[in-house]
Amino acid sequence: LAQRLARRLCMACRKSEPASADFVAELQDEYLRAFSPGMRPSHDALRDQWQAQYGTVQRYRSSGCAHCNGTGLSGRVGLHELLSVTSAIRRLIQTGARSEDIQQEAFQGGLFRTLRQDGITKVLAGLITIEEVRANSNA
């Protein structure tokens, strides 16, 4: 288990606008970076998944208000990464496999999401900014 705290956008002054194609592509590239090339979902499949879950991808900003003392931020939200050890992962650990191999096995089982990926889902939900994700997660 790994966890980090990121600063949450103030919900009182948060505003949204449709995300540009460049911003969506940037989020997709960062989300897909953890996958090995043979296992990486396509940008189109990821975009479709996001649209089904969040609707039109929005970019959120908070300019500051009396509620957040002009900072645009209010509170914290957790970024989480949890690796559940399956029998296949246990075998890899016991045989001294590389961490990349263990991570790819976890992705295959659909049981794993990196800190960065969890943060990006929170960007899509309008809770934090991509800058907070980058500051609080590994590259």
Side-chain angles (χ1 to χ4, degrees):
L1 172 68
Q3 57 186 357
R4 304 286 185 276
L5 289 176
R7 298 176 299 175
R8 180 188 299 259
L9 290 171
C10 176
M11 296 300 155
C13 61
R14 180 184 77 171
K15 299 198 179 357
S16 68
E17 62 189 29
S20 69
D22 289 341
F23 181 71
V24 173
E26 184 180 323
L27 290 179
Q28 288 174 321
D29 288 342
E30 290 196 41
Y31 191 92
L32 295 171
R33 187 175 300 146
F35 291 96
S36 65
M39 299 203 36
R40 186 174 293 145
S42 71
H43 279 71
D44 292 338
L46 185 59
R47 185 186 60 244
D48 293 345
Q49 177 187 346
W50 287 353
Q51 285 180 339
Q53 191 168 1
Y54 303 103
T56 303
V57 175
Q58 299 286 308
R59 184 158 193 176
Y60 295 89
R61 302 174 196 276
S62 295
S63 56
C65 64
H67 181 265
C68 62
N69 294 322
T71 64
L73 304 167
S74 180
R76 304 262 178 181
V77 65
L79 306 181
H80 303 93
E81 174 179 298
L82 174 66
L83 175 64
S84 298
V85 179
T86 64
S87 59
I89 292 173
R90 185 180 322 273
R91 240 184 303 119
L92 287 171
I93 293 169
Q94 290 171 337
T95 60
R98 297 177 321 129
S99 62
E100 293 84 8
D101 297 334
I102 295 169
Q103 183 175 346
Q104 291 312 311
E105 177 63 33
F107 280 133
Q108 277 184 328
L111 302 172
F112 184 69
R113 185 166 54 189
T114 66
L115 281 171
R116 171 93 25 127
Q117 290 171 332
D118 187 52
I120 290 171
T121 62
K122 291 175 175 147
V123 169
L124 295 168
L127 299 175
I128 59 178
T129 64
I130 189 62
E131 291 78 21
E132 277 296 302
V133 173
R134 290 176 183 142
N136 289 289
S137 65
N138 302 343

